PDB file of all heavy atoms in Angstrom:
ATOM      1  N   ALA A  78       8.448  -7.141  17.296  1.00  0.00           N
ATOM      2  CA  ALA A  78       7.770  -6.002  16.672  1.00  0.00           C
ATOM      3  C   ALA A  78       6.312  -5.926  17.131  1.00  0.00           C
ATOM      4  O   ALA A  78       5.702  -6.939  17.496  1.00  0.00           O
ATOM      5  CB  ALA A  78       7.822  -6.143  15.153  1.00  0.00           C
ATOM      6  N   PRO A  79       5.723  -4.714  17.109  1.00  0.00           N
ATOM      7  CA  PRO A  79       4.321  -4.552  17.522  1.00  0.00           C
ATOM      8  C   PRO A  79       3.347  -4.933  16.410  1.00  0.00           C
ATOM      9  O   PRO A  79       2.614  -4.097  15.880  1.00  0.00           O
ATOM     10  CB  PRO A  79       4.243  -3.050  17.848  1.00  0.00           C
ATOM     11  CG  PRO A  79       5.229  -2.422  16.926  1.00  0.00           C
ATOM     12  CD  PRO A  79       6.364  -3.416  16.804  1.00  0.00           C
ATOM     13  N   VAL A  80       3.347  -6.216  16.038  1.00  0.00           N
ATOM     14  CA  VAL A  80       2.393  -6.695  15.037  1.00  0.00           C
ATOM     15  C   VAL A  80       1.083  -7.052  15.734  1.00  0.00           C
ATOM     16  O   VAL A  80       1.046  -7.291  16.941  1.00  0.00           O
ATOM     17  CB  VAL A  80       2.954  -7.906  14.266  1.00  0.00           C
ATOM     18  CG1 VAL A  80       4.193  -7.520  13.478  1.00  0.00           C
ATOM     19  CG2 VAL A  80       3.278  -9.056  15.206  1.00  0.00           C
ATOM     20  N   GLU A  81      -0.005  -7.084  14.967  1.00  0.00           N
ATOM     21  CA  GLU A  81      -1.319  -7.355  15.529  1.00  0.00           C
ATOM     22  C   GLU A  81      -1.697  -8.835  15.392  1.00  0.00           C
ATOM     23  O   GLU A  81      -1.739  -9.568  16.355  1.00  0.00           O
ATOM     24  CB  GLU A  81      -2.353  -6.454  14.848  1.00  0.00           C
ATOM     25  CG  GLU A  81      -2.133  -4.977  15.112  1.00  0.00           C
ATOM     26  CD  GLU A  81      -2.348  -4.612  16.569  1.00  0.00           C
ATOM     27  OE1 GLU A  81      -3.414  -4.965  17.126  1.00  0.00           O
ATOM     28  OE2 GLU A  81      -1.463  -3.972  17.169  1.00  0.00           O
ATOM     29  N   ARG A  82      -1.950  -9.269  14.172  1.00  0.00           N
ATOM     30  CA  ARG A  82      -2.305 -10.667  13.906  1.00  0.00           C
ATOM     31  C   ARG A  82      -1.634 -11.119  12.612  1.00  0.00           C
ATOM     32  O   ARG A  82      -1.413 -10.308  11.718  1.00  0.00           O
ATOM     33  CB  ARG A  82      -3.825 -10.845  13.781  1.00  0.00           C
ATOM     34  CG  ARG A  82      -4.595 -10.597  15.072  1.00  0.00           C
ATOM     35  CD  ARG A  82      -6.105 -10.724  14.850  1.00  0.00           C
ATOM     36  NE  ARG A  82      -6.843 -10.508  16.081  1.00  0.00           N
ATOM     37  CZ  ARG A  82      -7.146 -11.460  16.968  1.00  0.00           C
ATOM     38  NH1 ARG A  82      -6.789 -12.715  16.715  1.00  0.00           N
ATOM     39  NH2 ARG A  82      -7.809 -11.171  18.062  1.00  0.00           N
ATOM     40  N   TYR A  83      -1.321 -12.405  12.507  1.00  0.00           N
ATOM     41  CA  TYR A  83      -0.786 -12.921  11.248  1.00  0.00           C
ATOM     42  C   TYR A  83      -1.953 -13.328  10.352  1.00  0.00           C
ATOM     43  O   TYR A  83      -2.945 -13.883  10.805  1.00  0.00           O
ATOM     44  CB  TYR A  83       0.194 -14.074  11.473  1.00  0.00           C
ATOM     45  CG  TYR A  83      -0.325 -15.257  12.245  1.00  0.00           C
ATOM     46  CD1 TYR A  83      -1.093 -16.245  11.619  1.00  0.00           C
ATOM     47  CD2 TYR A  83      -0.030 -15.421  13.596  1.00  0.00           C
ATOM     48  CE1 TYR A  83      -1.558 -17.338  12.300  1.00  0.00           C
ATOM     49  CE2 TYR A  83      -0.489 -16.523  14.296  1.00  0.00           C
ATOM     50  CZ  TYR A  83      -1.255 -17.484  13.662  1.00  0.00           C
ATOM     51  OH  TYR A  83      -1.723 -18.564  14.356  1.00  0.00           O
ATOM     52  N   ILE A  84      -1.821 -13.005   9.076  1.00  0.00           N
ATOM     53  CA  ILE A  84      -2.921 -13.188   8.130  1.00  0.00           C
ATOM     54  C   ILE A  84      -2.893 -14.604   7.561  1.00  0.00           C
ATOM     55  O   ILE A  84      -1.980 -14.972   6.824  1.00  0.00           O
ATOM     56  CB  ILE A  84      -2.832 -12.154   6.986  1.00  0.00           C
ATOM     57  CG1 ILE A  84      -2.935 -10.744   7.556  1.00  0.00           C
ATOM     58  CG2 ILE A  84      -3.948 -12.390   5.956  1.00  0.00           C
ATOM     59  CD1 ILE A  84      -2.660  -9.650   6.537  1.00  0.00           C
ATOM     60  N   CYS A  85      -3.896 -15.373   7.919  1.00  0.00           N
ATOM     61  CA  CYS A  85      -4.013 -16.726   7.370  1.00  0.00           C
ATOM     62  C   CYS A  85      -5.253 -16.866   6.490  1.00  0.00           C
ATOM     63  O   CYS A  85      -5.479 -17.932   5.922  1.00  0.00           O
ATOM     64  CB  CYS A  85      -4.048 -17.752   8.496  1.00  0.00           C
ATOM     65  SG  CYS A  85      -5.455 -17.606   9.610  1.00  0.00           S
ATOM     66  N   ARG A  86      -6.072 -15.795   6.419  1.00  0.00           N
ATOM     67  CA  ARG A  86      -7.247 -15.815   5.551  1.00  0.00           C
ATOM     68  C   ARG A  86      -7.315 -14.516   4.767  1.00  0.00           C
ATOM     69  O   ARG A  86      -7.031 -13.441   5.292  1.00  0.00           O
ATOM     70  CB  ARG A  86      -8.540 -15.964   6.361  1.00  0.00           C
ATOM     71  CG  ARG A  86      -8.800 -17.356   6.912  1.00  0.00           C
ATOM     72  CD  ARG A  86     -10.131 -17.377   7.626  1.00  0.00           C
ATOM     73  NE  ARG A  86     -11.240 -17.013   6.734  1.00  0.00           N
ATOM     74  CZ  ARG A  86     -12.443 -16.610   7.183  1.00  0.00           C
ATOM     75  NH1 ARG A  86     -12.666 -16.500   8.478  1.00  0.00           N
ATOM     76  NH2 ARG A  86     -13.392 -16.322   6.320  1.00  0.00           N
ATOM     77  N   ARG A  87      -7.684 -14.624   3.492  1.00  0.00           N
ATOM     78  CA  ARG A  87      -7.939 -13.451   2.659  1.00  0.00           C
ATOM     79  C   ARG A  87      -9.232 -13.676   1.890  1.00  0.00           C
ATOM     80  O   ARG A  87      -9.427 -14.738   1.291  1.00  0.00           O
ATOM     81  CB  ARG A  87      -6.792 -13.192   1.683  1.00  0.00           C
ATOM     82  CG  ARG A  87      -5.521 -12.697   2.325  1.00  0.00           C
ATOM     83  CD  ARG A  87      -4.491 -12.290   1.285  1.00  0.00           C
ATOM     84  NE  ARG A  87      -4.898 -11.074   0.578  1.00  0.00           N
ATOM     85  CZ  ARG A  87      -4.160 -10.507  -0.383  1.00  0.00           C
ATOM     86  NH1 ARG A  87      -3.015 -11.056  -0.750  1.00  0.00           N
ATOM     87  NH2 ARG A  87      -4.572  -9.401  -0.977  1.00  0.00           N
TER      88      ARG A  87
END
Side-chain angles (χ1 to χ4, degrees):
V80 297
E81 296 294 308
R82 293 177 179 272
Y83 57 81
I84 299 172
C85 63
R86 285 183 60 199
R87 289 187 70 180

